[in-house]
Structure formats: structure tokens, C-alpha cells
Amino acid sequence: MVVICRANQARSPLAARMLARQAESWLGRGHRIVISSAGLSASDSSPALPTMTDAARSLGVDLTRHRARSLDPSTLRKAALVITMSEAQRSSVSRLLPGTLAKSFTLKELVRIGQAAPPVGPGLADLVLELHRSRALVPAAPGPEDVADPEALSLDETAAVAREIAVLTEALGPVLFNPPSMLRAAASA
């Protein structure tokens, strides 16, 4: 699983860490799901934005050692799920590696679809396929499903973005990492 934003200095590293926390909470420490982050136009090795580092700290997440990394096609090929922070980024991912649309969602879109049509599958790739199939069945969002870029935002505004990411990733825990759903699917196969 890879979480993508523009610079990999704020939204995607926080969301990846929060999703890793959810995976551990639902699946335990020994889970095998790898969750990384990258940026479409990242300056490799740049630190997280100071405002996001502060906001993340208030949520119990340490981004002080995070270093940005650029997205490359091999990361997209390997990922069972691609999560972006904006619809434009989701489109950019599809242009970078055609064929990734079926496994690419904005964070908000993934929550909306996952809550409306909870997926069932024996593994993450199967869950993602079910989520993709549900796109046509779930009502569309009334507006863009983007998480604001905090680069030019104040500390308070960045904290609001961080809290939004925390709420969204918490909502994904039962969608992506719920073992009973995975077990039900495996038993019915």
C-alpha cells in the first residue's frame, strides 16, 4: 500500500503512519501489510513540514525522522492499494502508470466507498478489487474528494488537516484491516 501526495512532506507521511497504526490495531504487530508514502513531485530527503510535524505530534505521530521520497512506477506496480490526497493526484498516478486506476483512490473516496459498500476478501488485493467494483454502485460525492495541501497553511489550519487525516484513516481501519471480513470471504470461497 502506498499513500501519495504532492511533496511527501505532510499529508502522505501522516496518513501512512496513521494507517500503519490502524493495521497494527486491527491485525496485531505481526501483520504483513507494508504501508509507505511518496510524492509526485517530492524533493528526495526533504524533511516533513514543521507545521505538520507539530500537528502530527499532537496526534501521537512522530514525523521528525521522515524524509520525502519521489514516487516511481515500480512502487505503483507493487502496491495493492494506492491512496492519494486529491483527485488530480489520482489522475496523475494513472498517467504515470496506466492500469492503476482500479487500485487508486483518494483518501476520502476510499472511506466513502468502503463505508457504503464494505468489501469482503481474503486479502488486501481482493478487498481493493471489491472497492473498485463498488465505485459504480455507491453514490458519487457531492464535490471534490481532496484533502487540503497544508504547505501554505497556518499551524491551526495544518492541525485541522491532520485531524481530518486522523478521522479518515481511523474510518479505514474496519474497511481495510477487519479480519472477520477477510475470514468470511475466505470461508465462502
Coordinates of all heavy atoms in Angstrom, one line a residue, residues 11-81:
R11 N 0.9 15.4 4.2 CA -0.3 14.6 4.2 C 0.0 13.1 4.1 O -0.5 12.3 4.9 CB -1.3 15.0 3.1 CG -1.8 16.4 3.3 CD -2.5 16.9 2.0 NE -1.6 17.1 0.9 CZ -1.9 17.4 -0.3 NH1 -3.2 17.5 -0.6 NH2 -1.0 17.5 -1.2
S12 N 0.8 12.7 3.0 CA 1.0 11.3 2.8 C 1.8 10.6 3.9 O 1.5 9.5 4.3 CB 1.6 11.0 1.4 OG 2.8 11.6 1.3
P13 N 2.9 11.2 4.5 CA 3.6 10.5 5.6 C 2.7 10.4 6.8 O 2.7 9.3 7.5 CB 4.8 11.4 5.9 CG 4.6 12.7 5.1 CD 3.6 12.4 4.1
L14 N 1.9 11.4 7.1 CA 1.0 11.3 8.3 C 0.0 10.2 8.0 O -0.3 9.3 8.9 CB 0.3 12.6 8.6 CG -0.7 12.6 9.7 CD1 0.0 12.2 11.0 CD2 -1.5 13.9 9.9
A15 N -0.7 10.2 6.8 CA -1.7 9.2 6.6 C -1.1 7.8 6.6 O -1.7 6.8 7.1 CB -2.3 9.5 5.2
A16 N 0.1 7.6 6.0 CA 0.8 6.3 6.1 C 1.0 5.8 7.5 O 0.8 4.7 7.8 CB 2.1 6.3 5.3
R17 N 1.5 6.7 8.3 CA 1.7 6.4 9.7 C 0.4 6.0 10.5 O 0.4 5.1 11.3 CB 2.5 7.5 10.5 CG 3.8 7.8 9.9 CD 5.0 7.0 10.5 NE 6.2 7.2 9.8 CZ 7.1 8.1 10.0 NH1 6.9 9.0 11.1 NH2 8.2 8.2 9.3
M18 N -0.6 6.8 10.2 CA -1.9 6.6 10.8 C -2.5 5.2 10.3 O -3.1 4.5 11.1 CB -2.9 7.7 10.6 CG -2.4 9.1 11.1 SD -2.3 9.2 12.9 CE -4.0 9.4 13.3
L19 N -2.3 4.9 9.1 CA -2.8 3.7 8.5 C -2.0 2.5 9.1 O -2.6 1.4 9.4 CB -2.8 3.6 7.0 CG -3.9 4.4 6.3 CD1 -3.6 4.6 4.8 CD2 -5.2 3.8 6.5
A20 N -0.7 2.7 9.3 CA 0.1 1.6 9.9 C -0.4 1.4 11.4 O -0.5 0.2 11.8 CB 1.5 2.0 9.9
R21 N -0.8 2.4 12.0 CA -1.3 2.3 13.4 C -2.6 1.5 13.4 O -2.9 0.7 14.2 CB -1.5 3.7 14.0 CG -2.0 3.7 15.4 CD -2.4 5.1 15.9 NE -1.2 5.9 16.1 CZ -1.2 7.2 16.5 NH1 -2.4 7.8 16.6 NH2 -0.1 7.8 16.7
Q22 N -3.5 1.8 12.4 CA -4.8 1.1 12.3 C -4.5 -0.4 11.9 O -5.2 -1.3 12.5 CB -5.6 1.7 11.2 CG -6.3 3.0 11.6 CD -7.3 2.8 12.7 OE1 -8.1 1.9 12.7 NE2 -7.2 3.6 13.7
A23 N -3.6 -0.7 11.0 CA -3.3 -2.1 10.7 C -2.8 -2.8 11.9 O -3.2 -4.0 12.2 CB -2.2 -2.1 9.6
E24 N -2.0 -2.2 12.7 CA -1.5 -2.9 13.9 C -2.6 -3.1 14.9 O -2.7 -4.1 15.6 CB -0.3 -2.1 14.5 CG 0.3 -2.8 15.7 CD 1.6 -2.1 16.2 OE1 2.4 -1.7 15.3 OE2 1.7 -1.8 17.4
S25 N -3.5 -2.1 15.0 CA -4.6 -2.2 16.0 C -5.5 -3.3 15.6 O -6.0 -4.1 16.4 CB -5.3 -0.9 16.0 OG -6.5 -1.0 16.8
W26 N -5.8 -3.5 14.3 CA -6.8 -4.5 13.8 C -6.1 -5.9 13.6 O -6.8 -6.9 13.9 CB -7.4 -4.0 12.5 CG -8.5 -3.0 12.7 CD1 -8.3 -1.6 12.7 CD2 -9.8 -3.2 13.0 NE1 -9.5 -1.0 12.9 CE2 -10.5 -2.0 13.1 CE3 -10.6 -4.4 13.1 CZ2 -11.8 -1.8 13.4 CZ3 -12.0 -4.2 13.4 CH2 -12.5 -2.9 13.5
L27 N -4.9 -5.9 13.2 CA -4.3 -7.2 12.8 C -3.2 -7.6 13.7 O -2.7 -8.8 13.6 CB -3.7 -7.0 11.4 CG -4.7 -6.7 10.3 CD1 -3.9 -6.4 9.0 CD2 -5.7 -7.7 10.1
G28 N -2.7 -6.8 14.6 CA -1.6 -7.1 15.5 C -0.3 -6.8 15.0 O -0.1 -6.4 13.8
R29 N 0.7 -6.8 15.8 CA 2.1 -6.4 15.4 C 2.7 -7.2 14.3 O 3.5 -6.8 13.5 CB 3.0 -6.5 16.6 CG 2.8 -5.3 17.5 CD 3.8 -5.3 18.6 NE 3.7 -4.0 19.2 CZ 4.7 -3.1 19.2 NH1 5.8 -3.3 18.6 NH2 4.5 -1.9 19.8
G30 N 2.3 -8.5 14.1 CA 3.0 -9.3 13.1 C 2.3 -9.3 11.7 O 2.7 -10.1 10.9
H31 N 1.5 -8.3 11.5 CA 0.8 -8.2 10.2 C 1.9 -8.0 9.1 O 3.0 -7.5 9.3 CB -0.3 -7.1 10.2 CG 0.3 -5.7 10.1 ND1 0.7 -5.1 9.0 CD2 0.4 -4.8 11.1 CE1 1.1 -3.9 9.3 NE2 1.0 -3.7 10.6
R32 N 1.5 -8.3 7.9 CA 2.5 -8.3 6.8 C 2.2 -7.2 5.8 O 2.7 -7.1 4.7 CB 2.5 -9.6 6.0 CG 3.0 -10.7 6.8 CD 3.0 -12.0 6.0 NE 4.0 -12.9 6.5 CZ 4.2 -14.1 6.1 NH1 3.5 -14.5 5.1 NH2 5.1 -14.8 6.6
I33 N 1.3 -6.3 6.1 CA 0.9 -5.2 5.2 C 2.0 -4.1 5.3 O 2.2 -3.5 6.4 CB -0.5 -4.6 5.5 CG1 -1.5 -5.8 5.3 CG2 -0.8 -3.4 4.6 CD1 -2.9 -5.4 5.7
V34 N 2.6 -3.8 4.2 CA 3.6 -2.7 4.1 C 2.9 -1.4 3.6 O 2.2 -1.4 2.6 CB 4.7 -3.1 3.1 CG1 5.7 -2.0 3.0 CG2 5.4 -4.4 3.6
I35 N 3.1 -0.4 4.4 CA 2.4 0.9 4.1 C 3.6 1.9 4.0 O 4.3 2.2 4.9 CB 1.4 1.3 5.2 CG1 0.4 0.2 5.3 CG2 0.8 2.6 4.8 CD1 -0.5 0.3 6.6
S36 N 3.7 2.5 2.8 CA 4.7 3.5 2.5 C 4.1 4.8 2.0 O 2.9 4.8 1.8 CB 5.7 3.0 1.6 OG 5.1 2.8 0.3
S37 N 4.9 5.8 1.8 CA 4.4 7.1 1.2 C 5.4 7.6 0.2 O 6.6 7.3 0.3 CB 4.1 8.1 2.3 OG 5.3 8.5 3.0
A38 N 4.9 8.4 -0.7 CA 5.8 9.1 -1.7 C 5.1 10.3 -2.2 O 3.9 10.5 -1.9 CB 6.0 8.1 -2.8
G39 N 5.8 11.1 -3.0 CA 5.3 12.3 -3.5 C 5.5 12.4 -5.0 O 6.5 11.9 -5.6
L40 N 4.5 12.9 -5.7 CA 4.5 13.0 -7.1 C 5.6 14.0 -7.6 O 6.2 13.8 -8.7 CB 3.2 13.5 -7.7 CG 2.1 12.4 -7.7 CD1 0.7 13.0 -7.9 CD2 2.4 11.3 -8.7
S41 N 5.9 15.0 -6.8 CA 7.0 16.0 -7.1 C 7.8 16.3 -5.9 O 8.1 17.4 -5.6 CB 6.4 17.3 -7.7 OG 5.5 17.9 -6.8
A42 N 8.2 15.2 -5.2 CA 8.9 15.3 -4.0 C 10.4 15.6 -4.3 O 11.0 15.2 -5.3 CB 8.9 14.0 -3.2
S43 N 11.0 16.4 -3.4 CA 12.4 16.6 -3.3 C 13.0 15.6 -2.4 O 12.8 15.7 -1.2 CB 12.8 18.0 -2.9 OG 12.3 19.0 -3.7
D44 N 13.6 14.5 -2.9 CA 14.1 13.4 -2.1 C 14.9 13.9 -0.9 O 15.7 14.8 -1.0 CB 14.9 12.4 -2.9 CG 14.0 11.6 -3.8 OD1 12.9 11.4 -3.5 OD2 14.6 11.1 -4.8
S45 N 14.6 13.3 0.2 CA 15.2 13.5 1.5 C 14.8 14.8 2.2 O 15.4 15.2 3.2 CB 16.8 13.5 1.4 OG 17.1 12.2 0.9
S46 N 13.8 15.6 1.7 CA 13.4 16.8 2.4 C 12.6 16.3 3.6 O 11.9 15.3 3.6 CB 12.4 17.6 1.5 OG 13.1 18.1 0.4
P47 N 12.7 17.1 4.7 CA 12.0 16.7 6.0 C 10.5 17.1 5.8 O 10.1 17.8 4.9 CB 12.7 17.6 7.0 CG 13.2 18.8 6.3 CD 13.6 18.3 4.9
A48 N 9.8 16.5 6.8 CA 8.4 16.9 6.9 C 8.2 18.4 7.2 O 9.1 19.0 7.8 CB 7.7 16.1 7.9
L49 N 7.1 19.0 6.7 CA 6.9 20.4 7.0 C 6.8 20.6 8.6 O 6.2 19.8 9.3 CB 5.6 20.9 6.4 CG 5.5 20.9 4.9 CD1 4.0 21.3 4.5 CD2 6.5 21.8 4.3
P50 N 7.5 21.6 9.1 CA 7.4 21.8 10.5 C 6.0 21.9 11.1 O 5.8 21.4 12.2 CB 8.2 23.1 10.7 CG 9.1 23.2 9.5 CD 8.3 22.6 8.4
T51 N 5.1 22.6 10.4 CA 3.8 22.7 10.9 C 3.1 21.3 11.0 O 2.3 21.1 11.9 CB 2.9 23.7 10.0 OG1 3.0 23.2 8.6 CG2 3.4 25.1 10.1
M52 N 3.3 20.5 10.0 CA 2.8 19.1 10.0 C 3.4 18.3 11.1 O 2.8 17.5 11.8 CB 2.8 18.4 8.7 CG 2.1 17.1 8.7 SD 0.4 17.1 9.2 CE -0.5 17.6 7.7
T53 N 4.7 18.5 11.3 CA 5.4 17.7 12.4 C 4.8 18.1 13.7 O 4.5 17.2 14.5 CB 6.9 18.1 12.4 OG1 7.5 17.7 11.1 CG2 7.7 17.3 13.5
D54 N 4.5 19.3 13.9 CA 3.8 19.8 15.2 C 2.4 19.2 15.3 O 2.0 18.7 16.3 CB 3.8 21.3 15.3 CG 5.2 21.9 15.5 OD1 6.1 21.2 15.9 OD2 5.3 23.1 15.3
A55 N 1.7 19.3 14.2 CA 0.3 18.8 14.2 C 0.3 17.3 14.4 O -0.6 16.8 15.2 CB -0.4 19.2 12.9
A56 N 1.2 16.6 13.8 CA 1.3 15.1 13.9 C 1.6 14.7 15.4 O 1.1 13.8 15.9 CB 2.3 14.5 13.0
R57 N 2.5 15.5 16.0 CA 2.9 15.2 17.4 C 1.7 15.2 18.3 O 1.6 14.4 19.2 CB 4.0 16.2 17.8 CG 4.5 15.9 19.2 CD 5.7 16.9 19.6 NE 6.7 16.9 18.6 CZ 7.1 17.9 17.9 NH1 6.4 19.1 18.0 NH2 8.1 17.9 17.0
S58 N 0.8 16.2 18.0 CA -0.4 16.3 18.9 C -1.3 15.1 18.7 O -2.2 14.8 19.6 CB -1.2 17.6 18.6 OG -1.8 17.5 17.3
L59 N -1.1 14.3 17.6 CA -1.9 13.1 17.4 C -1.1 11.8 17.8 O -1.5 10.7 17.5 CB -2.3 13.0 15.9 CG -3.2 14.1 15.4 CD1 -3.3 14.1 13.9 CD2 -4.5 14.0 16.0
G60 N 0.1 12.0 18.4 CA 0.9 10.9 18.8 C 1.7 10.3 17.7 O 2.1 9.1 17.8
V61 N 2.0 11.1 16.6 CA 2.8 10.6 15.5 C 4.0 11.4 15.4 O 4.0 12.6 15.4 CB 2.0 10.6 14.2 CG1 2.8 10.2 13.0 CG2 0.7 9.8 14.3
D62 N 5.2 10.7 15.3 CA 6.5 11.4 15.2 C 6.9 11.4 13.7 O 7.2 10.4 13.2 CB 7.5 10.7 16.1 CG 8.9 11.4 16.0 OD1 9.0 12.5 15.4 OD2 9.8 10.8 16.6
L63 N 7.0 12.6 13.1 CA 7.4 12.7 11.7 C 8.8 13.4 11.7 O 9.3 13.7 10.6 CB 6.4 13.6 10.9 CG 5.1 13.0 10.7 CD1 4.2 14.0 9.9 CD2 5.1 11.7 9.9
T64 N 9.5 13.5 12.8 CA 10.8 14.2 12.8 C 11.8 13.5 12.0 O 12.7 14.1 11.4 CB 11.3 14.4 14.2 OG1 11.4 13.1 14.9 CG2 10.4 15.3 15.0
R65 N 11.8 12.2 11.8 CA 12.8 11.4 11.0 C 12.3 11.2 9.6 O 13.0 10.6 8.8 CB 13.1 10.1 11.7 CG 13.8 10.3 13.0 CD 14.3 9.0 13.6 NE 14.3 9.1 15.0 CZ 14.0 8.2 15.9 NH1 13.6 7.0 15.5 NH2 14.1 8.4 17.2
H66 N 11.1 11.6 9.3 CA 10.6 11.4 7.9 C 11.4 12.1 6.9 O 11.8 13.3 7.1 CB 9.1 11.8 7.8 CG 8.6 11.7 6.4 ND1 8.3 10.5 5.8 CD2 8.5 12.7 5.5 CE1 8.0 10.8 4.5 NE2 8.0 12.1 4.3
R67 N 11.7 11.5 5.8 CA 12.4 12.1 4.6 C 11.5 11.8 3.4 O 11.2 10.6 3.2 CB 13.8 11.7 4.5 CG 14.7 12.1 5.6 CD 14.8 13.6 5.7 NE 15.6 14.0 6.9 CZ 15.1 14.5 8.0 NH1 13.8 14.5 8.2 NH2 15.8 14.9 9.0
A68 N 11.3 12.8 2.6 CA 10.4 12.7 1.4 C 11.1 11.8 0.4 O 12.3 11.7 0.3 CB 10.2 14.1 0.8
R69 N 10.3 11.1 -0.4 CA 10.8 10.3 -1.5 C 9.9 10.4 -2.7 O 8.6 10.6 -2.5 CB 11.0 8.8 -1.1 CG 9.8 8.0 -1.0 CD 10.2 6.6 -0.6 NE 9.0 5.8 -0.5 CZ 8.6 4.9 -1.4 NH1 9.3 4.6 -2.4 NH2 7.5 4.2 -1.2
S70 N 10.4 10.4 -3.8 CA 9.7 10.6 -5.1 C 9.0 9.2 -5.4 O 9.6 8.2 -5.2 CB 10.6 10.9 -6.2 OG 11.2 12.2 -6.0
L71 N 7.8 9.4 -6.0 CA 7.1 8.2 -6.5 C 7.7 7.7 -7.8 O 8.1 8.4 -8.7 CB 5.6 8.6 -6.7 CG 4.8 7.4 -7.3 CD1 4.6 6.3 -6.2 CD2 3.4 8.0 -7.7
D72 N 7.9 6.4 -7.8 CA 8.4 5.8 -9.1 C 7.4 4.7 -9.5 O 6.7 4.1 -8.7 CB 9.8 5.2 -8.9 CG 9.9 4.1 -7.9 OD1 9.6 3.0 -8.2 OD2 10.3 4.4 -6.7
P73 N 7.4 4.4 -10.8 CA 6.5 3.4 -11.3 C 6.6 2.0 -10.6 O 5.6 1.3 -10.5 CB 6.8 3.3 -12.8 CG 7.4 4.6 -13.1 CD 8.2 5.0 -11.9
S74 N 7.8 1.6 -10.2 CA 7.9 0.3 -9.5 C 7.1 0.2 -8.2 O 6.5 -0.8 -7.9 CB 9.3 -0.1 -9.3 OG 9.9 0.7 -8.3
T75 N 7.0 1.3 -7.5 CA 6.3 1.4 -6.3 C 4.8 1.2 -6.6 O 4.1 0.5 -5.9 CB 6.5 2.8 -5.6 OG1 7.9 2.9 -5.2 CG2 5.7 2.9 -4.3
L76 N 4.3 1.8 -7.7 CA 2.9 1.7 -8.1 C 2.6 0.2 -8.5 O 1.6 -0.3 -8.2 CB 2.6 2.6 -9.2 CG 2.5 4.1 -8.9 CD1 2.3 4.9 -10.2 CD2 1.4 4.4 -7.9
R77 N 3.5 -0.4 -9.2 CA 3.3 -1.7 -9.7 C 3.2 -2.7 -8.5 O 2.3 -3.6 -8.5 CB 4.5 -2.2 -10.6 CG 4.3 -2.0 -12.0 CD 5.4 -2.7 -12.8 NE 5.8 -1.7 -13.9 CZ 6.8 -0.9 -13.8 NH1 7.6 -0.9 -12.7 NH2 7.1 0.0 -14.7
K78 N 4.0 -2.5 -7.5 CA 4.0 -3.4 -6.3 C 2.8 -3.2 -5.4 O 2.4 -4.1 -4.7 CB 5.3 -3.3 -5.5 CG 6.5 -3.8 -6.2 CD 7.7 -3.6 -5.3 CE 8.9 -3.0 -6.1 NZ 10.0 -2.7 -5.2
A79 N 2.3 -2.0 -5.4 CA 1.2 -1.7 -4.4 C -0.1 -2.3 -4.7 O -0.6 -2.3 -5.8 CB 1.1 -0.2 -4.3
A80 N -0.7 -2.9 -3.7 CA -2.0 -3.5 -3.8 C -3.1 -2.4 -3.8 O -4.2 -2.5 -4.3 CB -2.3 -4.5 -2.7
L81 N -2.7 -1.3 -3.2 CA -3.6 -0.1 -3.0 C -2.8 1.1 -3.1 O -1.8 1.3 -2.5 CB -4.4 -0.2 -1.6 CG -5.2 0.9 -1.2 CD1 -6.4 1.2 -2.2 CD2 -5.8 0.7 0.2

